[in-house]
Amino acid sequence: MTAAAVFAAVFIALYIAHSVGDHWVQTSHQAAHKGENDRTPGQSSRAGRIACTLHVIGLTITKGIALAAAVLVLDLPVTVTGVAAGLGIDAATHWWADRRSTLAWLAKVTGKTEFLSLGTPAHPAHPATAEGGYAPTLGTGAYALDQSFHHLFLGVAALLIASL
C-alpha cells in the first residue's frame, strides 16, 4: 500500500472522528467553558483548562477508535510512533486553539480579526433577525477559523501517521 493511500485513509478516519468528537462527544459544559480565562470577570483559567483538557481527551479517544477501526479493517501499515506523533500533535494544537484567546491572537496577527467576529454582534455588519437580534444560524467566522485550523493539523497528523 502506498504512503499516499495510507495518508488518504488516515485523514478520512481522522476527519470523520474530528467532526463526531468536536460536535457529539464534546459536552455542552466543555464547549461553554473551555475558553475561560482570568481576564474575564467570573471566569477561571483553571476551570477553562480543565474543560478544554477533558474535551481534547474525549476527542482524541474518538479519533483513536476511528483510526484503529480503519487500520484493522483496511490493514493499514502504521506504526505506534506515527500514531503517537500524529494524535499527539493533533491533540496539542486542538487544545491550543480551543482555549479561544490563542486563536483570537492568531486571527489578530494574520489580519483576520474582522472575519473572526463575523456572525456575532461584535462584527460591524453583523447578521441580525428581523427583530434586530443575533442570528447564530448564519455561522461565525470564529467557528470557520477554528475548524480550518483543526483541519490543517488533521492533515499534519495524517502525514505523520502515514510516514513514520
Side-chain angles (χ1 to χ4, degrees), residues 71-150:
V71 166
L72 292 172
V73 171
L74 302 174
D75 194 28
L76 299 177
V78 300
T79 66
V80 171
T81 301
V83 171
L87 291 180
I89 193 74
D90 179 69
T93 58
H94 197 102
W95 191 92
W96 182 87
D98 275 14
R99 292 293 291 138
R100 296 198 179 115
S101 61
T102 48
L103 198 62
W105 169 84
L106 184 59
K108 181 179 179 180
V109 300
T110 59
K112 296 289 183 188
T113 303
E114 184 179 344
F115 184 69
L116 182 76
S117 70
L118 183 68
T120 72
H123 191 270
H126 72 84
T129 65
E131 295 80 30
Y134 176 46
T137 57
L138 298 176
T140 66
Y143 178 76
L145 291 174
D146 173 80
Q147 291 301 300
S148 176
F149 183 88
H150 295 325

Side-chain angles (χ1 to χ4, degrees), residues 1-12 76-77 158-159 161-163:
M1 181 174 291
T2 67
V6 174
F7 168 78
V10 167
F11 181 82
I12 291 167
L76 299 177
L159 281 173
I161 292 168
S163 66

Side-chain angles (χ1 to χ4, degrees), residues 8-90:
V10 167
F11 181 82
I12 291 167
L14 293 178
Y15 186 86
I16 292 166
H18 170 83
S19 187
V20 172
D22 225 17
H23 301 104
W24 287 95
V25 176
Q26 178 174 214
T27 68
S28 294
H29 177 83
Q30 291 164 355
H33 298 282
K34 66 186 177 184
E36 287 182 356
N37 60 63
D38 292 330
R39 289 176 286 223
T40 306
Q43 293 187 343
S44 159
S45 285
R46 183 174 187 274
R49 287 190 305 269
I50 290 169
C52 195
T53 299
L54 292 174
H55 162 54
V56 171
I57 288 169
L59 180 68
T60 304
I61 289 169
T62 303
K63 289 176 182 176
I65 291 168
L67 183 59
V71 166
L72 292 172
V73 171
L74 302 174
D75 194 28
L76 299 177
V78 300
T79 66
V80 171
T81 301
V83 171
L87 291 180
I89 193 74
D90 179 69

